[in-house]
Amino acid sequence: MTEKKKLYIKTYGCQMNVYDSGKMQDVMLPLGYEETPEYTDADMVVLNTCHIREKASEKLYSELGRIRKVKDKLKDKGRHMIIAVAGCVGQAEGEEILSRAPYVDIVVGPQSYHRLPSLVQNIRKEKGDKVDIEFPTVSKFDFLPEESAKVGISAFLTIQEGCDKFCTFCVVPYTRGAEYSRPVSEITREAMMLVERGAKEIQLLGQNVNAYHGVDHEGNAWNLGQLITHLSKVKGLERIRYTTSHPRDMHADLYRAHAEVEALQPYLHLPVQAGSNRTLKAMNRKHTREEYFMIIERLRKLRPDIAFSSDFIVGYPGETDQDFEDTMDLVRQVGFAQCYSFKYSARPGTPASLKEDQLPEDVKDARLQALQALLFQQQKDFNASIVGKTIPVLFDREGRHEGQLIGKSPYMQSVYVSADAVHQGTILNVRVDKATQNSLTGIVADTAKAA
Ligand code: SAH
Ligand code: SF4
Ligand code: F3S
């Protein structure tokens, strides 16, 4: 029998990193590695990193410094802790990590972590490569195990990777590589496996998920709308979501899916980044504010209960007061349920980082504050608009208090109720009686669907 070892994985960044961390656990299982919640006694530590905004590498090196102390302590006891840096900082900085932190054993990128087991074996044999940040010609998905050790009630499923859009501010095309879509059959198999193991909701993931163009068994390319319609037939799959999508890649089949596929939730994260056409053009977003409004309007017509979320960047180089006002105006016109907003951060290697008209920090700070005040107000208003309504809630975890269950509304809000733990994993109708900025509370209105 394989000797049991403890594996600690810390995940930063987007949901795709969360998915990858799960897969890293799966690839390490055959070597006897099992997840542990603390790194103080771990045989292997993986930091699955994100490079999207500033200070990513500084944060990594200070975290590595802390872990090194534990590694030294274990060494005194005759144990070797393997430290691996994975993810997008690993991809971006590669060998440099080993020279700045020589006690790191392994560096892998987001497309090569399936090779972790052989890199670990190299360490044991004290030979071979320590860094693997190639973009392999054969997809990592061909090497990842199909089964997952851990499946949640709401599960992630990566269907598309990478990005060819090259927005001027963004590192993703460099860290994740070119766009790639997994074949339909592979995704269907994984979806069925997830549902068999208890998933009720699947969130389809991709940096550009609605640019999906994977092939079916006859070699025909499918779009995301077709894929969602197909997956909605998987028995026992109650909810489908997808993220993150790009306004340029909305298509007729996807609109149709929003109108017709019951399992597709009435909630869409559709990042717009800015509300000024001048800024959108400078960012190479290749869509205008008017096109964004048209998408929102079309979806609201098809699915009147749909709600939207978005990402915003303030203080892009050269952004004027008027440009920023256009962003505020776009937010007022759309009315979002929940959003993420960031100060522009110059990323090494991106075209926007080379621009001379970078804005001072205080201007960015003030704009972010104003935007967030508006967005938080909208979020509060949106939550308040649910009070008095009865909505279906998928219960996915127990609360801190005895007899408390927590679930997700169709709009991704956390909903707290008093209910028996047997209802975990089921969808119940809840009459919402209270809302705060971040969550809802209510009373279970029927348990008819609990069986
Ligand atoms: N693929 C997605 C976004 C991926 S990155 C899309 O196209 O929208 C997630 C978010 O991080 C982005 O939507 C953007 O708002 C933010 N972001 C990316 N690069 C950034 C940068 N250089 N500075 C600040 N925010 C950034
Ligand atoms: Fe980055 Fe733009 Fe690609 Fe999104 S679409 S991942 S923001 S380059
Ligand atoms: Fe970060 Fe990489 Fe995701 S940079 S946001 S972890 S794709």
Side-chain angles (χ1 to χ4, degrees):
M1 211 182 100
T2 331
E3 191 191 338
K4 288 278 169 272
K5 292 187 180 310
K6 290 180 186 156
L7 170 65
Y8 171 83
I9 304 186
K10 183 162 181 180
T11 311
Y12 304 81
C14 61
Q15 288 113 326
M16 306 200 56
N17 261 13
V18 176
Y19 176 88
D20 290 343
S21 291
K23 287 289 173 197
M24 283 189 238
Q25 271 175 37
D26 296 339
V27 293
M28 293 308 292
L29 256 180
L31 269 69
Y33 284 86
E34 283 179 358
E35 200 197 356
T36 181
E38 300 274 348
Y39 65 73
T40 43
D41 192 36
D43 297 285
M44 179 169 176
V45 171
V46 178
L47 298 181
N48 194 9
T49 58
C50 170
H51 204 228
I52 201 82
R53 279 171 293 275
E54 69 190 332
K55 302 208 181 88
S57 25
E58 287 96 292
K59 271 189 225 150
L60 169 66
Y61 289 111
S62 56
E63 182 75 2
L64 282 173
R66 282 191 289 275
I67 295 168
R68 179 202 194 162
K69 290 196 185 122
V70 179
K71 177 167 176 149
D72 288 344
K73 264 195 210 146
L74 290 178
K75 196 174 173 191
D76 294 342
K77 293 186 196 160
R79 283 174 58 189
H80 180 79
M81 174 198 267
I82 297 173
I83 303 180
V85 175
C88 293
V89 182
Q91 187 65 44
E93 307 213 341
E95 298 275 353
E96 203 185 316
I97 296 174
L98 292 186
S99 55
R100 270 188 71 176
Y103 48 89
V104 167
D105 299 276
I106 294 171
V107 179
V108 280
Q111 305 307 350
S112 50
Y113 63 77
H114 55 289
R115 299 195 189 124
L116 265 180
S118 68
L119 292 165
V120 167
Q121 275 156 347
N122 285 348
I123 291 170
R124 292 215 182 127
K125 292 185 218 139
E126 293 187 3
K127 61 175 192 197
D129 293 336
K130 295 177 124 197
V131 178
D132 193 338
I133 52 171
E134 272 176 44
F135 289 124
T137 44
V138 182
S139 147
K140 69 183 175 205
F141 293 105
D142 290 354
F143 299 95
L144 292 174
E146 275 191 10
E147 300 278 280
S148 276
K150 220 172 56 184
V151 173
I153 289 163
S154 176
F156 289 144
L157 201 178
T158 294
I159 63 166
Q160 179 276 336
E161 280 253 19
C163 180
D164 296 339
K165 297 238 171 17
F166 291 92
C167 300
T168 53
F169 52 81
C170 183
V171 291
V172 170
Y174 312 97
T175 61
R176 289 267 167 180
E179 213 177 274
Y180 166 78
S181 297
R182 297 177 69 189
V184 174
S185 59
E186 203 177 293
I187 294 167
T188 311
R189 262 206 311 276
E190 189 162 333
M192 288 167 74
M193 180 277 290
L194 291 170
V195 173
E196 257 164 44
R197 290 173 164 235
K200 295 285 158 56
E201 170 176 283
I202 291 183
Q203 303 201 42
L204 305 173
L205 301 182
Q207 264 88 16
N208 256 277
V209 73
N210 57 342
Y212 177 82
H213 57 271
V215 290
D216 67 8
H217 60 285
E218 287 170 345
N220 302 314
W222 285 29
N223 60 37
L224 181 65
Q226 291 170 291
L227 182 72
I228 288 172
T229 308
H230 172 71
L231 291 177
S232 69
K233 293 170 195 139
V234 171
K235 236 179 146 206
L237 177 56
E238 311 229 18
R239 287 183 167 187
I240 301 175
R241 302 178 185 276
Y242 63 95
T243 199
T244 298
S245 33
H246 193 292
R248 265 176 69 196
D249 294 314
M250 294 305 295
H251 50 269
D253 286 327
L254 191 53
Y255 284 109
R256 193 169 314 123
H258 275 285
E260 293 172 4
V261 175
E262 209 192 316
L264 184 58
Q265 296 302 288
Y267 183 80
L268 180 61
H269 181 63
L270 191 65
V272 64
Q273 314 298 356
S276 140
N277 281 339
R278 217 180 61 87
T279 310
L280 288 170
K281 188 154 198 267
M283 286 176 162
N284 193 32
R285 290 289 292 180
K286 298 207 173 88
H287 63 79
T288 61
R289 61 187 267 127
E290 290 77 20
E291 281 160 347
Y292 192 79
F293 288 139
M294 270 159 54
I295 296 170
I296 303 282
E297 200 183 331
R298 187 162 167 190
L299 284 166
R300 279 189 170 141
K301 263 202 194 117
L302 294 167
R303 189 73 216 237
D305 60 340
I306 198 166
F308 295 96
S309 83
S310 192
D311 290 345
F312 293 91
I313 295 178
V314 299
Y316 184 81
E319 184 187 69
T320 62
D321 286 340
Q322 182 55 52
D323 292 327
F324 176 65
E325 194 34 56
D326 288 351
T327 296
M328 296 289 276
D329 178 72
L330 180 141
V331 173
R332 283 186 209 105
Q333 289 203 41
V334 174
F336 290 97
Q338 196 254 344
C339 286
Y340 299 94
S341 47
F342 313 99
K343 277 193 286 182
Y344 167 74
S345 153
R347 308 308 294 132
T350 59
S353 69
L354 304 173
K355 296 204 172 170
E356 277 170 13
D357 43 1
Q358 305 284 331
L359 297 189
E361 261 336 270
D362 59 338
V363 172
K364 293 198 237 175
D365 282 330
R367 288 182 186 168
L368 186 65
Q369 239 182 30
L371 175 62
Q372 290 190 336
L374 176 61
L375 292 172
F376 289 157
Q377 188 55 48
Q378 290 196 342
Q379 185 173 339
K380 261 167 75 178
D381 293 346
F382 178 73
N383 288 351
S385 74
I386 311 289
V387 174
K389 289 188 180 150
T390 298
I391 53 167
V393 176
L394 171 58
F395 289 98
D396 53 3
R397 63 207 148 104
E398 288 183 57
R400 262 187 294 153
H401 305 296
E402 175 104 29
Q404 189 181 47
L405 272 189
I406 310 174
K408 282 267 178 301
S409 78
Y411 312 110
M412 296 294 273
Q413 297 142 304
S414 292
V415 185
Y416 291 71
V417 302
S418 296
D420 196 290
V422 297
H423 298 310
Q424 202 169 313
T426 61
I427 296 176
L428 301 177
N429 282 325
V430 171
R431 191 179 153 80
V432 176
D433 56 18
K434 217 176 108 201
T436 64
Q437 185 179 311
N438 294 314
S439 64
L440 306 174
T441 53
I443 295 160
V444 175
D446 79 60
T447 50
K449 287 188 82 174

